[in-house]
Amino acid sequence: TLTMVGSGNTLTLYRDGVVISTLTHSKSMASIIPSGSVLGYLGRSLYQGDPLLRADVSDVKFWDVALTGDQVSSSMPTAEQK
């Protein structure tokens, strides 16, 4: 399970609740969120020419706050739930 958490100018990527990457960036979220008649889709890039996602997506969750590492870990499904 992959989880991306954005807080301020930092993005943190988790795999199964464990941090695998952290990146500091200079872009504002407002500069990358589609506006006007542009729609964003899961598995489809906003940029022409990018391939579609080739994967199975079984669960999607959105939070309106940046999660802590502990919150990410506790939100992961158990092996039985997978």
Side-chain angles (χ1 to χ4, degrees):
T1 301
L2 295 176
T3 305
M4 176 74 73
V5 176
S7 181
N9 63 343
T10 301
L11 293 173
T12 304
L13 182 62
Y14 296 82
R15 180 185 301 131
D16 295 330
V18 177
V19 174
I20 60 171
S21 179
T22 300
L23 169 75
T24 301
H25 60 87
S26 60
K27 301 276 186 185
S28 71
M29 290 303 284
S31 72
I32 63 171
I33 295 173
S35 62
S37 62
V38 177
L39 298 175
Y41 299 91
L42 292 175
R44 181 176 173 191
S45 175
L46 295 174
Y47 304 100
Q48 289 186 0
D50 284 351
L52 296 176
L53 175 68
R54 296 184 65 162
D56 293 327
V57 178
S58 60
D59 187 33
V60 176
K61 297 176 186 176
F62 292 93
W63 285 271
D64 61 356
V65 297
L67 301 180
T68 65
D70 287 339
Q71 290 170 319
V72 170
S73 294
S74 68
S75 74
M76 294 295 104
T78 64
E80 291 176 357
Q81 292 171 325
K82 288 182 181 181

